[in-house]
Amino acid sequence: MNSKFRGVIPPVVTPLTADGQLDVESLERSINRMINAGVNGLFILGSSGEVVFSTDARRREIIENSIRITAGRVPVLVGCIDTETNRVIEHAKVAQELGADAIVVTAPFYALGSNVEVEQHFRLVHAAVNLPMFAYDIPVCVHTKLPGDMLIRLGLDGVLAGVKDSSGDDVSFRFLTMANQKAGHPLVILTGHEVVVDGAYMSGADGSVPGLGNIDPEGYVRQWNAYQAGDWNAVRAEQDRLAALMRIVTVTSGVAGYGAGVGAFKTALNLLGVFNSNRMPEPVKALEGQNVENVRAVLVEAGLLAG
Amino acid sequence: MNSKFRGVIPPVVTPLTADGQLDVESLERSINRMINAGVNGLFILGSSGEVVFSTDARRREIIENSIRITAGRVPVLVGCIDTETNRVIEHAKVAQELGADAIVVTAPFYALGSNVEVEQHFRLVHAAVNLPMFAYDIPVCVHTKLPGDMLIRLGLDGVLAGVKDSSGDDVSFRFLTMANQKAGHPLVILTGHEVVVDGAYMSGADGSVPGLGNIDPEGYVRQWNAYQAGDWNAVRAEQDRLAALMRIVTVTSGVAGYGAGVGAFKTALNLLGVFNSNRMPEPVKALEGQNVENVRAVLVEAGLLAG
Amino acid sequence: MNSKFRGVIPPVVTPLTADGQLDVESLERSINRMINAGVNGLFILGSSGEVVFSTDARRREIIENSIRITAGRVPVLVGCIDTETNRVIEHAKVAQELGADAIVVTAPFYALGSNVEVEQHFRLVHAAVNLPMFAYDIPVCVHTKLPGDMLIRLGLDGVLAGVKDSSGDDVSFRFLTMANQKAGHPLVILTGHEVVVDGAYMSGADGSVPGLGNIDPEGYVRQWNAYQAGDWNAVRAEQDRLAALMRIVTVTSGVAGYGAGVGAFKTALNLLGVFNSNRMPEPVKALEGQNVENVRAVLVEAGLLAG
Amino acid sequence: MNSKFRGVIPPVVTPLTADGQLDVESLERSINRMINAGVNGLFILGSSGEVVFSTDARRREIIENSIRITAGRVPVLVGCIDTETNRVIEHAKVAQELGADAIVVTAPFYALGSNVEVEQHFRLVHAAVNLPMFAYDIPVCVHTKLPGDMLIRLGLDGVLAGVKDSSGDDVSFRFLTMANQKAGHPLVILTGHEVVVDGAYMSGADGSVPGLGNIDPEGYVRQWNAYQAGDWNAVRAEQDRLAALMRIVTVTSGVAGYGAGVGAFKTALNLLGVFNSNRMPEPVKALEGQNVENVRAVLVEAGLLAG
């Protein structure tokens, strides 16, 4: 497996200024920090990169700045997330024009059909752009679970280069890696669940896309290196540490969903001095008051912040 | 209740040419046919108007042509359907610029939070445009059910002009119309379920948004007039006839979801000579073969087509 | 349609004494009150009759007492609700032995399969007992929606005598009544949604199974009689009144699901002097404090209780 | 952690004779085979032990025979699965009377409420019997996910001895094992997902409850021993082998849910000569024809059966 998309590829959290503009300074700090930590790639405009909150102009701004900052040091994967085929193709063409190394595409959403349409969707996007494509399996957002046999078929047909799995279904994940291996490993399979990357590596994952990697990129890089070296005790110990850090998303109250999850990430990055603000995209409110203090306490406990 | 948005307001099905372009000729025929039948308004770019399949340019094309064709004969409501607030506001501004009479907006989707964000979403869209706004309650697509108390509050605050209910929850619908009446009727409440409009009128609905109204607009107009006249037997008899016609969406096989529903609508309109083609937007296939014949048989049985 | 199971058939709420025993005195008062009001049947051991909370011994006690009290004045339908076929057959045999007029059976639950198993389930129960059987369509509890074509087939085959629809899906309900009419009306179709019985009657329902009929049986009887007489304005006016009364299940806070719904019914019956206690089955707590006062206020507003 | 409930505790699949009776001979062969392989306990009347298909008499028969056959060689955990508290308590008392070492109890199902009722349910069952109790977290069957903080609290209060996790949520599982460790390890935490036991061990699971352990108990025992010895490569290699074997549940067609899953287990046990028949409980059909051959092919490929 010699893909350039293996390893730790954090989904880049998008920093905003206090008045809601793209905070290019913070973005630069964050991207450089992750690359310096040794990540193997960056995934911009993912779910936690606020892709669906961003207008087309904002998406373009994020792509341009991220690619400029990255400057070829690692590959940049760009999320082209929209409801149906023709809208996705427009985003994919912009990504290609701006120099993306790969695109990441979900199943269609809002108007559902059967798997026939899902497969046709990926084939049509592939036909429209000349970039490696990752299928983004995220049923919690799109309400379709991508079937393993379809993914393998699309891999063998050269439609898909890989899969970013955020399905939360570790059983299907194991069956997918197993079928992929049997088929000659056509797909790069990445897990999006930062709390159980060790289990995904046990299942044979080719890498991870950890949102928490924005906060602690070194941890995930060390874990990946341990995995490559076959040092499972280190893989596991690192995971235990990172899972404890991930409690930043569970220690808040009165917030839910995106506001709790990405809200905690932005707050942590703000507390760590990486982001200038923990501002969230409309209509989501940033964490405040005791919720911020609770996130801080976890960072202190994890040794990332002085107490 | 003197709103100009009462009565029968079909969601306009979007005709495509055989090669996937907007079929302006068919659109003109269909809109004129509905207005001539006496409908009270038109809702373009709804779910069955393939809003989420349409690029921004296509959406603009649909709005411009529909408003030009309608020429002020009835109000035109425009669906501004997108994932989150800032993207929706962009669509809303286009709709306003092009002369829409009202906009129709769903809860945010893809990235979910709590009802706090949903309410804030509607308030922000309202603050950004000067048009009456309908909340579009369609949990099957957005996976959030709009709470009745929020809707009433947004109505009383002048944020919402009405609700287009496609929730499939007739119990909540009754509670909503009841609460609306008690609050002084701030909201125009329209049902989107063409098979049970009689029940919705029993519940006090202010009108209907029947997809099937593209096929048989006269039926829904007669039913509305009977409702206004208090002739419940006529309301019910018309509904029975229309429910039998609605079987066009259940007589097909091997297709699902959007392809079965809107696919049958387009096929019926094609068979009736209103649409030049039953072409569907990518990645959905048009009905063909026996499925077309099955739709034809229902139309014949309903007396809309010669046998 | 000459079935003896048409009309208003309330699901009998089960009264408990303060220490959790069956309160036979309250049961007698409640059943007599409903029969005196003119209901056409009684459905015991339904969901709101706490069937799944009741041990087998308790179920037997409820059946014996209900049949004794009813004394043949109206038919008694008995819910035989359990997870899978053989357990349901045991309950059905007890119901038959104790003199039930019909049984009511859901799809299997807990361990799901396909509709093949669901249909086989109904056929096996039918083969085991000599009683008319109603299918109880309640996906919120059993997580399977009974398909209309299966129901019609089972009706034509003599397996089912009818359907008690608590699916909350008024569109499918209309399609079912329509298909039933076309098939020669093999099924008695009853709605379980007390807030929209008028809409169900518009759809051609053969009766209703209103939980709220325990509180205000006269209302549902008047509504049924108005329906039989074709007086739709009276059907609707009665429904508006009953829907307002149904707010007893929405005015409480801090409770959810069964505790809120049946909890409000029991509390109302207690306040009206029909039940000696509003005790709920374990592990559910009875309503108390302000929640009781809120239920009282609705009863007063409805004129059922002096202010 | 010195609990006697650690390690490999297969959920015992229940063999039936061709005419649907309990097949005691096959049960004896299967239990002895598992104990001889070195399993650490047996869980009878679990979901795959067809608890919800079994009448009370059948459940008693299964308990009595299993405990007699086991004869104290390993602990026997008994599933007391029923809809609500009082029904569960009856089963628990029978299990206690017949000599169970522990009981396994799900959240209430069919009639749902809030977590308040779920917690009260476990407390009431605990108060009624003198046996260690495992909470069985299986939202796919009961439609409630048990919250981690509730589980820890019930563990610290001595209500729960452990958790059998079949939630399919590996992220919550990691958070649970982490919180359990922090709280002093009050709970024995077992995973029910046989395909990803290696990941669960990485997360710190105290054992597994693998349905596939009926087919290949030696594999899971070797894996447990490797885990205890810290030999992660062996843990993983064994898992890869077992995951390949688990394809018996995916190689069939035309069957779904329980019939596909437990149907494949019974068919494999029949092919291996452990069960005399692959008969399923009503209303489920046994696998037949090509489906049996497909299961056989997987067994041959796995080296469990001669080709």
Side-chain angles (χ1 to χ4, degrees):
Chain A
M1 176 100 242
N2 274 314
S3 167
K4 65 174 176 175
F5 301 113
R6 295 175 76 234
V8 178
I9 305 176
V12 180
V13 176
T14 300
L16 301 180
T17 62
D19 64 345
Q21 300 308 304
L22 179 65
D23 179 350
V24 178
E25 179 187 302
S26 294
L27 181 65
E28 187 147 6
R29 200 154 45 219
S30 184
I31 285 179
N32 285 333
R33 181 170 173 265
M34 289 190 275
I35 294 176
N36 292 339
V39 302
N40 306 91
L42 294 169
F43 168 34
I44 60 172
L45 290 174
S47 301
S48 56
E50 60 196 53
V51 61
V52 296
F53 295 91
S54 303
T55 63
D56 287 2
R58 172 63 56 83
R59 292 187 188 201
R60 182 179 277 270
E61 202 183 353
I62 293 170
I63 301 171
E64 285 174 339
N65 279 286
S66 299
I67 289 178
R68 176 186 57 74
I69 295 166
T70 303
R73 290 176 286 174
V74 296
V76 176
L77 295 79
V78 176
C80 300
I81 315 293
D82 214 317
T83 44
E84 299 283 343
T85 308
N86 289 338
R87 296 183 65 84
V88 171
I89 286 175
E90 286 200 341
H91 295 297
K93 287 183 168 166
V94 170
Q96 179 168 284
E97 168 206 333
L98 299 181
D101 293 290
I103 57 173
V104 185
V105 172
T106 70
F109 53 94
Y110 188 92
L112 301 184
S114 70
N115 286 331
V116 173
E117 284 87 3
V118 175
E119 181 162 349
Q120 175 72 351
H121 174 72
F122 285 114
R123 293 189 182 276
L124 290 166
V125 175
H126 173 67
V129 291
N130 290 315
L131 280 177
M133 175 163 58
F134 279 71
Y136 192 170
D137 195 14
I138 187 161
V140 71
C141 290
V142 305
H143 303 278
T144 293
K145 173 84 184 80
L146 299 175
D149 55 349
M150 175 200 292
L151 292 170
I152 299 294
R153 185 166 56 241
L154 291 171
L156 291 172
D157 288 355
V159 173
L160 291 180
V163 175
K164 193 251 171 171
D165 182 275
S166 296
S167 71
D169 182 342
D170 55 343
V171 171
S172 292
F173 189 82
R174 184 57 154 264
F175 281 131
L176 177 63
T177 57
M178 194 165 67
N180 191 44
Q181 196 57 32
K182 204 166 185 175
H185 216 122
L187 298 168
V188 176
I189 300 179
L190 310 172
T191 180
H193 292 289
E194 57 267 269
V195 172
V196 285
V197 174
D198 54 352
Y201 288 165
M202 279 260 143
S203 286
D206 300 304
S208 62
V209 186
L212 191 68
N214 288 265
I215 320 302
D216 188 356
E218 288 88 353
Y220 286 100
V221 171
R222 279 194 301 268
Q223 186 188 34
W224 171 253
N225 292 338
Y227 170 36
Q228 295 303 296
D231 183 355
W232 288 106
N233 284 318
V235 168
R236 190 192 190 201
E238 201 66 61
Q239 188 63 68
D240 279 337
R241 208 184 55 73
L242 291 163
L245 179 58
M246 187 65 178
R247 287 183 305 114
I248 57 173
V249 307
T250 66
V251 291
T252 51
S253 60
V255 290
Y258 199 83
V262 177
F265 286 171
K266 288 202 173 189
T267 298
L269 288 163
N270 184 215
L271 290 167
L272 292 172
V274 181
F275 279 19
N276 292 330
S277 160
N278 71 343
R279 163 85 188 219
M280 295 291 286
E282 299 289 8
V284 186
K285 286 224 173 101
L287 295 187
E288 53 188 12
Q290 190 56 48
N291 281 339
V292 172
E293 293 316 305
N294 292 350
V295 170
R296 184 195 305 274
V298 175
L299 295 176
V300 170
E301 200 180 329
L304 296 185
L305 206 62
Chain B
M1 177 99 240
N2 274 316
S3 166
K4 66 175 175 175
F5 301 111
R6 297 175 75 234
V8 179
I9 304 177
V12 180
V13 176
T14 300
L16 301 180
T17 62
D19 64 345
Q21 302 307 305
L22 179 64
D23 180 351
V24 178
E25 179 187 302
S26 294
L27 181 64
E28 185 146 7
R29 201 154 45 219
S30 184
I31 286 180
N32 284 333
R33 182 169 172 263
M34 289 190 275
I35 294 177
N36 292 339
V39 302
N40 306 90
L42 295 168
F43 169 34
I44 60 172
L45 289 174
S47 301
S48 57
E50 60 196 53
V51 62
V52 296
F53 296 90
S54 303
T55 63
D56 286 3
R58 171 64 55 83
R59 292 188 188 200
R60 183 179 275 270
E61 201 183 353
I62 293 170
I63 301 172
E64 286 175 338
N65 278 285
S66 298
I67 289 178
R68 176 186 57 74
I69 295 166
T70 302
R73 289 176 288 174
V74 297
V76 175
L77 296 78
V78 176
C80 300
I81 314 294
D82 215 317
T83 44
E84 298 284 344
T85 308
N86 288 339
R87 295 184 64 83
V88 171
I89 286 174
E90 287 200 340
H91 295 297
K93 286 183 170 166
V94 170
Q96 179 169 284
E97 167 206 333
L98 299 180
D101 293 289
I103 58 173
V104 185
V105 172
T106 71
F109 53 95
Y110 187 93
L112 301 185
S114 70
N115 287 329
V116 173
E117 284 88 3
V118 175
E119 181 161 349
Q120 175 72 349
H121 174 71
F122 285 115
R123 292 190 182 276
L124 289 167
V125 175
H126 173 67
V129 291
N130 290 314
L131 281 177
M133 175 163 59
F134 279 71
Y136 192 171
D137 194 13
I138 187 161
V140 71
C141 290
V142 304
H143 303 278
T144 294
K145 172 83 184 82
L146 299 175
D149 55 349
M150 176 200 291
L151 292 170
I152 299 294
R153 184 167 57 244
L154 290 171
L156 289 171
D157 287 356
V159 173
L160 290 180
V163 175
K164 193 250 172 172
D165 181 276
S166 296
S167 71
D169 182 341
D170 56 343
V171 170
S172 292
F173 190 82
R174 183 58 156 261
F175 281 131
L176 178 63
T177 56
M178 197 165 65
N180 191 44
Q181 195 58 32
K182 203 165 183 174
H185 216 121
L187 297 168
V188 175
I189 300 179
L190 309 172
T191 179
H193 292 290
E194 57 265 271
V195 171
V196 286
V197 175
D198 55 351
Y201 288 165
M202 278 261 143
S203 286
D206 299 305
S208 62
V209 185
L212 192 68
N214 288 264
I215 320 301
D216 188 356
E218 288 88 353
Y220 286 99
V221 171
R222 278 194 302 268
Q223 185 187 35
W224 170 253
N225 292 337
Y227 170 35
Q228 296 303 298
D231 183 355
W232 288 106
N233 284 318
V235 168
R236 189 191 190 202
E238 202 66 61
Q239 188 63 69
D240 279 338
R241 208 182 56 73
L242 292 163
L245 179 59
M246 188 65 178
R247 287 184 305 116
I248 58 174
V249 306
T250 66
V251 292
T252 51
S253 61
V255 290
Y258 198 83
V262 177
F265 286 171
K266 287 202 174 188
T267 298
L269 288 164
N270 184 215
L271 290 168
L272 292 172
V274 181
F275 277 20
N276 292 330
S277 161
N278 70 342
R279 164 84 188 218
M280 294 291 285
E282 299 289 8
V284 186
K285 286 225 173 100
L287 295 187
E288 53 188 13
Q290 189 58 45
N291 280 340
V292 172
E293 294 316 305
N294 292 351
V295 170
R296 184 197 304 276
V298 175
L299 295 176
V300 169
E301 201 181 326
L304 294 185
L305 205 62
Chain C
M1 177 99 242
N2 274 314
S3 167
K4 64 174 175 176
F5 301 111
R6 298 174 73 233
V8 179
I9 304 176
V12 179
V13 176
T14 300
L16 300 180
T17 62
D19 64 345
Q21 301 309 304
L22 178 65
D23 180 350
V24 178
E25 178 188 303
S26 294
L27 180 65
E28 185 147 6
R29 200 153 47 219
S30 185
I31 286 181
N32 284 334
R33 182 169 172 263
M34 289 191 275
I35 294 177
N36 292 338
V39 303
N40 306 91
L42 295 169
F43 170 34
I44 60 172
L45 290 175
S47 300
S48 56
E50 61 196 53
V51 62
V52 297
F53 295 91
S54 303
T55 62
D56 287 1
R58 171 64 56 81
R59 292 187 188 200
R60 184 179 275 270
E61 203 183 351
I62 292 171
I63 300 172
E64 285 174 338
N65 278 284
S66 298
I67 289 179
R68 176 187 56 74
I69 295 165
T70 302
R73 288 176 287 174
V74 296
V76 176
L77 296 78
V78 175
C80 299
I81 314 294
D82 214 316
T83 45
E84 300 283 343
T85 308
N86 288 338
R87 294 183 66 83
V88 171
I89 287 174
E90 286 199 341
H91 295 297
K93 286 183 171 167
V94 170
Q96 178 168 285
E97 168 206 334
L98 299 180
D101 293 290
I103 58 173
V104 184
V105 171
T106 70
F109 54 95
Y110 188 93
L112 301 185
S114 70
N115 287 329
V116 172
E117 283 88 3
V118 175
E119 182 162 348
Q120 175 71 351
H121 174 72
F122 285 116
R123 292 188 183 277
L124 289 167
V125 176
H126 172 67
V129 291
N130 290 314
L131 280 177
M133 175 164 58
F134 280 72
Y136 191 171
D137 195 13
I138 187 160
V140 71
C141 291
V142 303
H143 303 278
T144 293
K145 172 83 183 82
L146 299 176
D149 55 349
M150 175 200 291
L151 292 171
I152 298 294
R153 186 167 55 245
L154 290 171
L156 290 171
D157 288 355
V159 172
L160 290 180
V163 175
K164 194 251 172 169
D165 182 276
S166 296
S167 72
D169 182 341
D170 55 344
V171 171
S172 291
F173 190 81
R174 185 57 156 263
F175 281 131
L176 178 63
T177 56
M178 195 164 66
N180 191 44
Q181 195 58 33
K182 205 166 182 173
H185 216 121
L187 297 168
V188 175
I189 301 179
L190 309 173
T191 179
H193 292 289
E194 57 265 270
V195 172
V196 286
V197 174
D198 54 353
Y201 288 164
M202 278 260 143
S203 286
D206 300 306
S208 62
V209 185
L212 192 67
N214 287 266
I215 320 302
D216 189 355
E218 289 88 354
Y220 287 100
V221 170
R222 278 195 301 269
Q223 187 188 33
W224 171 253
N225 292 337
Y227 171 34
Q228 295 304 296
D231 182 355
W232 288 105
N233 284 319
V235 168
R236 190 191 190 203
E238 200 67 58
Q239 188 64 66
D240 280 338
R241 207 183 54 75
L242 291 163
L245 178 59
M246 187 66 178
R247 287 183 305 115
I248 57 173
V249 305
T250 67
V251 292
T252 51
S253 62
V255 289
Y258 198 83
V262 176
F265 286 171
K266 286 202 176 187
T267 299
L269 288 164
N270 184 215
L271 290 166
L272 291 172
V274 181
F275 278 19
N276 292 331
S277 160
N278 70 342
R279 164 85 188 221
M280 295 291 285
E282 299 291 5
V284 187
K285 285 226 174 100
L287 296 186
E288 52 188 13
Q290 190 57 47
N291 281 339
V292 172
E293 294 316 304
N294 291 350
V295 170
R296 185 196 304 276
V298 175
L299 295 176
V300 169
E301 201 180 326
L304 295 185
L305 205 61
Chain D
M1 178 96 243
N2 275 314
S3 168
K4 65 173 176 176
F5 301 112
R6 296 175 74 236
V8 179
I9 305 176
V12 180
V13 176
T14 300
L16 301 181
T17 62
D19 64 344
Q21 301 308 305
L22 179 64
D23 179 351
V24 177
E25 179 188 303
S26 295
L27 181 65
E28 185 146 6
R29 200 153 47 218
S30 184
I31 285 180
N32 285 333
R33 183 171 173 260
M34 289 191 275
I35 294 177
N36 292 339
V39 303
N40 306 91
L42 294 169
F43 169 33
I44 60 172
L45 290 174
S47 301
S48 57
E50 62 196 52
V51 61
V52 296
F53 295 91
S54 303
T55 61
D56 286 2
R58 172 65 54 82
R59 293 187 187 201
R60 182 179 277 268
E61 202 183 353
I62 293 170
I63 301 172
E64 286 175 337
N65 278 284
S66 299
I67 289 179
R68 175 187 55 75
I69 296 165
T70 302
R73 290 175 287 173
V74 297
V76 176
L77 296 78
V78 176
C80 300
I81 315 294
D82 214 316
T83 45
E84 300 284 343
T85 308
N86 288 338
R87 296 183 65 83
V88 171
I89 287 175
E90 287 200 339
H91 296 297
K93 287 183 169 166
V94 170
Q96 179 168 284
E97 167 206 334
L98 299 180
D101 293 290
I103 57 173
V104 185
V105 172
T106 71
F109 52 96
Y110 187 94
L112 302 185
S114 70
N115 287 329
V116 173
E117 283 88 3
V118 176
E119 182 161 349
Q120 175 71 351
H121 174 72
F122 285 114
R123 292 190 183 275
L124 289 167
V125 176
H126 172 67
V129 290
N130 290 315
L131 281 176
M133 175 164 58
F134 280 71
Y136 191 171
D137 195 14
I138 187 160
V140 71
C141 290
V142 305
H143 304 277
T144 293
K145 172 84 182 81
L146 298 175
D149 55 348
M150 175 200 292
L151 292 171
I152 298 295
R153 184 166 58 243
L154 291 171
L156 290 171
D157 288 356
V159 172
L160 290 179
V163 175
K164 193 251 171 170
D165 181 277
S166 296
S167 72
D169 182 342
D170 55 344
V171 171
S172 292
F173 189 82
R174 184 58 155 262
F175 281 132
L176 178 63
T177 55
M178 196 164 66
N180 190 45
Q181 196 57 34
K182 205 166 186 175
H185 216 121
L187 297 168
V188 175
I189 301 180
L190 309 173
T191 179
H193 293 289
E194 56 266 272
V195 171
V196 287
V197 174
D198 55 352
Y201 288 165
M202 279 260 143
S203 286
D206 300 304
S208 63
V209 185
L212 191 67
N214 288 265
I215 320 299
D216 188 356
E218 288 88 353
Y220 286 100
V221 170
R222 279 194 301 269
Q223 187 187 35
W224 170 254
N225 292 337
Y227 170 35
Q228 296 304 296
D231 183 355
W232 287 107
N233 284 319
V235 167
R236 189 191 190 203
E238 201 66 59
Q239 188 63 68
D240 279 337
R241 208 182 57 73
L242 291 164
L245 179 59
M246 187 65 178
R247 287 184 304 114
I248 57 173
V249 307
T250 67
V251 292
T252 51
S253 61
V255 289
Y258 198 83
V262 176
F265 286 172
K266 287 202 174 189
T267 297
L269 288 164
N270 184 213
L271 291 167
L272 292 171
V274 181
F275 278 18
N276 293 329
S277 159
N278 71 341
R279 164 85 189 221
M280 295 291 285
E282 299 290 9
V284 186
K285 285 225 174 103
L287 296 186
E288 54 187 12
Q290 190 56 48
N291 281 339
V292 171
E293 294 315 305
N294 292 349
V295 170
R296 184 195 306 274
V298 175
L299 295 176
V300 170
E301 202 180 327
L304 295 186
L305 205 60

